[in-house]
Amino acid sequence: MIYSLKGIVQELGATHVVIDVNGIGYYVGISLQTSQKLVHQQPVFLFTQQIIREDSHQLFGFFSKEEKEMFNLLISVSGVGAVSALLVLSSLSLQEIAGAIGNGNSALLQKVKGIGVKTAERIIVDLRDKVLKFNVSAENISTFADNKVKDEALSALEVLGIPRKMSERIADKILKQYPDYSVEDLVKQILKNM
């Protein structure tokens, strides 16, 4: 079992990295969060998870031990494979994942490509007690996932031709400071902050 790798980033993609460890290149699947912390031709240390099946040997890498633990929790759920787990880790922060599971917020998990209603609910049921070690308090959880004001504002901006992903980030920042904003106020502030 390969527990970790320490070497030089030989090749870097959004979903993989090749790490040169004393002349041997290891192809490692990674999340976008890990990818963003790596630099081409620079030293790297990754925690790894090796998955051996009849038809394949795969190696996955994680910048933090917590990310590796979350990956292992996710793949322990029936119907969630390694690729789906990496998509979850790429789309949401560890706090958002743990918060969604802890609060039963399947809508947030369903925003991840490939995670449907049944899979999201299975993740919540199977992992609710296991994510407590991630010390997620109610304050760390995105309370805006089911916020009607936010959804209406983002829909209005989409009609104006503004991509939802771009406006959603700005909306979250604004709503953290001003949670009682109306749809009109939120739209105005998002437009001012673009």
Side-chain angles (χ1 to χ4, degrees):
M1 177 66 84
I2 300 171
Y3 180 78
S4 64
L5 290 174
K6 184 178 182 181
I8 302 292
V9 176
Q10 181 180 324
E11 185 181 306
L12 180 61
T15 58
H16 79 280
V17 62
V18 176
I19 300 175
D20 182 332
V21 181
N22 297 323
I24 299 171
Y26 289 90
Y27 184 96
V28 184
I30 54 174
S31 71
L32 284 174
Q33 290 186 33
T34 291
S35 175
Q36 291 169 352
K37 294 175 181 155
L38 305 180
V39 181
H40 188 255
Q41 295 298 327
Q42 293 298 309
V44 64
F45 176 88
L46 291 181
F47 294 97
T48 58
Q49 180 62 48
Q50 190 174 15
I51 297 178
I52 299 173
R53 298 212 167 90
E54 280 182 35
D55 58 344
S56 70
H57 290 236
Q58 296 174 306
L59 195 58
F60 299 95
F62 311 94
F63 200 76
S64 70
K65 213 172 194 176
E66 292 77 20
E67 188 184 21
K68 178 182 175 178
E69 287 172 14
M70 184 62 81
F71 174 83
N72 284 321
L73 285 175
L74 289 167
I75 63 172
S76 74
V77 176
S78 174
V80 180
V83 173
S84 294
L86 280 183
L87 279 170
V88 173
L89 290 168
S90 295
S91 305
L92 304 168
S93 70
L94 290 178
Q95 288 77 21
E96 287 174 323
I97 298 166
I101 293 168
N103 287 336
N105 185 350
S106 70
L108 185 59
L109 294 173
Q110 288 172 53
K111 287 186 177 182
V112 177
K113 185 181 177 195
I115 303 292
V117 178
K118 288 182 181 176
T119 305
E121 288 171 3
R122 200 176 305 125
I123 290 170
I124 290 166
V125 169
D126 289 2
L127 303 183
R128 183 171 264 157
D129 297 333
K130 296 176 182 174
V131 296
L132 297 175
K133 66 181 169 190
F134 288 89
N135 289 332
V136 176
S137 68
E139 294 153 27
N140 291 339
I141 298 158
S142 176
T143 53
F144 319 122
D146 296 318
N147 187 326
K148 275 189 175 180
V149 171
K150 177 183 160 189
D151 285 340
E152 286 180 33
L154 296 180
S155 295
L157 289 166
E158 269 185 308
V159 171
L160 296 173
I162 297 166
R164 190 175 185 95
K165 277 190 176 181
M166 183 193 302
S167 54
E168 190 165 16
R169 282 192 209 110
I170 299 168
D172 284 347
K173 287 178 189 172
I174 294 167
L175 286 170
K176 275 184 185 174
Q177 287 183 301
Y178 308 102
D180 298 327
Y181 260 7
S182 68
V183 175
E184 294 79 17
D185 291 334
L186 185 56
V187 169
K188 286 176 190 171
Q189 285 305 315
I190 291 171
L191 290 171
K192 279 183 187 175
N193 285 285
M194 291 192 124

